[in-house]
Amino acid sequence: KLLTWAQQFDDVVWLDSNNYNQQYTSYDAVLAVDAFTSIRTDFHQGFEKLKEYQTYCKDWLFGYLSYDLKNDVESLNSQNHDGLGFSDLCFFQPKRLFLIKGDQLEMQYMNVVSDEISDDLFAVEHVREAPRGTIHNDIKIKLRIHKDDYFSKVENMLEHIHRGDIYEANICQEFYAEDTQINPLETYQKLNGISKPPFAAFLKMDDKYALSASPERYIKKIGNNIVSQPIKGTAKRDLNPDADKRHIVNLKNDKKERSENIMIVDLVRNDLSKTALKGSVQVEELCEVYTFDQVHQMISTVTSKVSSETHPVDIIKSTFPMGSMTGAPKISAMRIIEHLEASKRGIYSGAIGYFSPSGDFDFNVVIRSILYNQTKKYVSYSVGGAITAKSDPFKEYEECLVKAKAMRTVLEN
């Protein structure tokens, strides 16, 4: 009901854990709407502008970081096709905030709208939810990279690996539809209903939408503690319980998947060490397999501690983009990725989340997500996979299709 009521506003961020029993979850769900102030910018000095904005506001801020902020961190550029047109960075300070934990709802309203609380509560209570399962899309999904071309790009990536340019890199491909209209809220509800991930997000910024069923946390700050939980390693689910258990065991013991995960764990450890107190970087979990509605995933948890003097935006800048969506070494991998991919990633493989007034933050990784530009009538979703020396191009392609299944099911009905 809250999310349906929120559709009247131009700026909306809804974050939903889907009641997933996760050790580091602060809230079950959060809704922020109705911008009081905001920042939208391209990548040029993007993190510095965000740092100034967060320092000035010292309030709740909600929004996203696009993948192309990499161009602010390193001497990189993005020349690939962009059908979506999202800003590289966008955050807003909400007038209305709803924090849900268990059976408690905390509402925080700015003074300028505080006299509207009772009216809003009445409107939420009497909102008429749209019936589920009513989407009848006639959408024709196109591939930006066709199958044979994908195989060729993976072979090219393998040449870089065998030559020693990189150890691992994540290559992504876009699926899209043009001249297409969708109902963003219904589409999100259906996608979230299929996947029920712990880091789901519905983001609306004017005419642009991100409908995310992400299973991955990028980075979280709680006080002086930092947590990053990279995903590397995917196996499909099976309706047969015995077969499903075999998939879990096979994923746990898969040397190629474990090596992928461990490489990225090393990268995350290195990134966190840039702001960590000496000796505080720890690997709390290594290559644990978690089960979701659509897939099994191999997840590691890396933690660190930071000084209270360290600015929260500096922590994000020093780890961005996340290692799970780039590769190792990170800069070399990003250069090769940019050359081989056909689409600008934009908000895909970026992050959606928030800053709290105390400087804490929590961000997901924008994967398993449908992106929509309502004005351009352009719908897009992308999937990718890590390429290592042991990668089989055919198996990598199959893994991409497994990851794309939920988005395609929702869009093509």
Side-chain angles (χ1 to χ4, degrees), residues 29-281:
V30 177
L31 174 67
V33 298
D34 196 11
F36 180 63
T37 66
S38 65
I39 178 174
R40 299 188 190 202
T41 182
D42 61 16
F43 67 83
H44 292 96
Q45 295 187 312
F47 280 108
E48 191 60 34
K49 293 171 185 174
L50 177 60
K51 187 174 179 179
E52 291 175 4
Y53 180 58
Q54 194 277 335
T55 301
Y56 172 76
C57 288
K58 286 291 183 185
D59 195 4
W60 291 96
L61 303 176
F62 288 78
Y64 68 82
L65 308 159
S66 86
Y67 173 77
D68 292 295
L69 284 166
K70 66 179 173 53
N71 303 339
D72 182 41
V73 179
E74 303 293 345
S75 180
L76 300 166
N77 59 69
S78 301
Q79 301 297 330
N80 290 329
H81 175 80
D82 179 14
L84 287 160
F86 279 72
S87 301
D88 289 336
L89 181 154
C90 185
F91 281 85
F92 70 93
Q93 180 186 12
K95 294 178 187 174
R96 298 161 165 87
L97 178 64
F98 302 82
L99 305 168
I100 302 168
K101 183 71 173 178
D103 60 359
Q104 291 189 326
L105 168 64
E106 178 184 344
M107 302 188 334
Q108 297 186 17
Y109 271 50
M110 284 191 164
N111 288 337
V112 292
V113 293
S114 60
D115 60 346
E116 299 176 29
I117 291 177
S118 59
D119 291 340
D120 287 350
L121 279 173
F122 181 83
V124 170
E125 180 63 27
H126 292 85
V127 75
R128 298 184 68 178
E129 289 189 84
R132 302 293 177 89
T134 60
I135 303 172
H136 299 290
N137 293 333
D138 183 22
I139 295 177
K140 304 302 181 190
I141 301 296
K142 301 177 184 178
L143 287 74
R144 188 70 60 188
I145 300 174
H146 289 276
K147 190 173 182 179
D148 289 344
D149 196 19
Y150 176 82
F151 289 159
S152 174
K153 290 176 183 293
V154 172
E155 292 291 354
N156 191 314
M157 187 77 80
L158 287 168
E159 289 175 14
H160 282 286
I161 292 171
H162 294 145
R163 195 162 55 231
D165 300 333
I166 51 173
Y167 308 115
E168 173 181 353
N170 192 305
I171 184 169
C172 300
Q173 55 179 317
E174 182 192 19
F175 298 79
Y176 68 100
E178 298 170 299
D179 195 24
T180 296
Q181 291 179 288
I182 63 172
N183 182 314
L185 178 58
E186 285 189 47
T187 303
Y188 166 75
Q189 288 172 330
K190 190 168 183 182
L191 179 64
N192 189 50
I194 288 174
S195 303
K196 298 185 181 70
F199 303 105
F202 176 97
L203 179 142
K204 174 187 177 184
M205 299 292 184
D206 294 327
D207 62 341
K208 297 175 184 67
Y209 295 82
L211 320 173
S212 180
S214 175
E216 182 172 0
R217 169 179 278 128
Y218 158 40
I219 194 167
K220 181 180 178 76
K221 178 178 181 288
I222 320 165
N224 293 339
N225 299 302
I226 307 298
V227 181
S228 184
Q229 296 181 291
I231 290 179
K232 269 289 159 273
T234 303
K236 64 181 180 180
R237 297 295 311 273
D238 199 297
L239 294 175
N240 182 300
D242 292 333
D244 203 47
K245 288 177 183 176
R246 282 197 299 274
H247 289 320
I248 294 173
V249 172
N250 291 340
L251 179 57
K252 281 183 177 179
N253 297 322
D254 190 310
K255 291 182 180 179
K256 182 255 181 188
E257 301 281 22
R258 288 184 67 88
S259 68
E260 278 184 22
N261 196 295
I262 290 168
M263 285 183 202
I264 297 307
V265 166
D266 282 342
L267 190 155
V268 172
R269 288 172 62 230
N270 180 68
D271 282 351
L272 291 183
S273 71
K274 296 172 187 175
T275 56
L277 296 174
K278 188 175 180 179
S280 68
V281 179

Side-chain angles (χ1 to χ4, degrees), residues 324-380:
S324 62
M325 296 305 295
T326 51
K330 187 188 278 190
I331 299 171
S332 297
M334 287 192 292
R335 286 202 178 100
I336 294 167
I337 286 167
E338 195 70 39
H339 174 68
L340 291 178
E341 292 180 353
S343 303
K344 182 178 175 181
R345 289 191 184 181
I347 191 174
Y348 169 71
S349 74
I352 296 172
Y354 67 85
F355 293 92
S356 76
S358 65
D360 286 351
F361 54 72
D362 199 2
F363 287 88
N364 75 357
V365 178
V366 183
I367 52 176
R368 319 294 159 80
S369 302
I370 296 170
L371 308 175
Y372 179 44
N373 185 316
Q374 193 170 44
T375 301
K376 290 186 175 182
K377 299 182 180 179
Y378 188 92
V379 179
S380 168

